[in-house]
Amino acid sequence: MPAKNIAKANLNICEELKILDGLLGKGPVLFIGIGNVLRSDDGAGVYIASRLLRTSKKKVLNVEVSIENYISKINSAGAENFVIIDCVHSN
């Protein structure tokens, strides 16, 4: 991910979390980061999830490229709402 896009994402994360809090209601939320950090912009989900882990009190699970290996953790997280953070680049 280019540095200017990362900086822009950093500025918008807190603002977007406020919006998501209003949309998702009162139940617990689990943020799930998906992506491959070795493949350019595909690592955006992992980057954002890592940032959430450091800067917020939200429940966050960083699954990288294998969400199927985390089904048990997702089920036991006690969340009523899920936000899946992923990225795709298409032409």
Side-chain angles (χ1 to χ4, degrees):
M1 174 181 280
K4 67 179 183 178
N5 291 345
I6 291 172
K8 187 175 180 181
N10 287 342
L11 294 174
N12 293 329
I13 289 173
C14 291
E15 182 99 8
E16 290 168 3
L17 282 176
K18 289 177 190 173
I19 293 168
L20 284 173
D21 282 342
L23 292 174
L24 295 173
K26 304 292 182 193
V29 178
L30 175 65
F31 291 86
I32 302 171
I34 299 175
N36 183 343
V37 295
L38 300 177
R39 296 195 58 209
S40 182
D41 67 333
D42 191 43
V46 174
Y47 173 81
I48 293 170
S50 297
R51 174 117 172 133
L52 286 172
L53 278 169
R54 290 191 315 265
T55 62
S56 77
K57 295 180 182 177
K58 305 286 184 195
K59 290 183 180 182
V60 180
L61 189 59
N62 204 343
V63 302
E64 296 189 10
V65 295
S66 56
I67 192 169
E68 63 277 4
N69 293 334
Y70 291 86
I71 297 300
S72 178
K73 286 185 179 185
I74 292 169
N75 286 336
S76 64
E80 293 179 18
N81 301 291
F82 301 94
V83 175
I84 298 176
I85 309 164
D86 198 1
C87 183
V88 63
H89 174 66
S90 62
N91 294 330

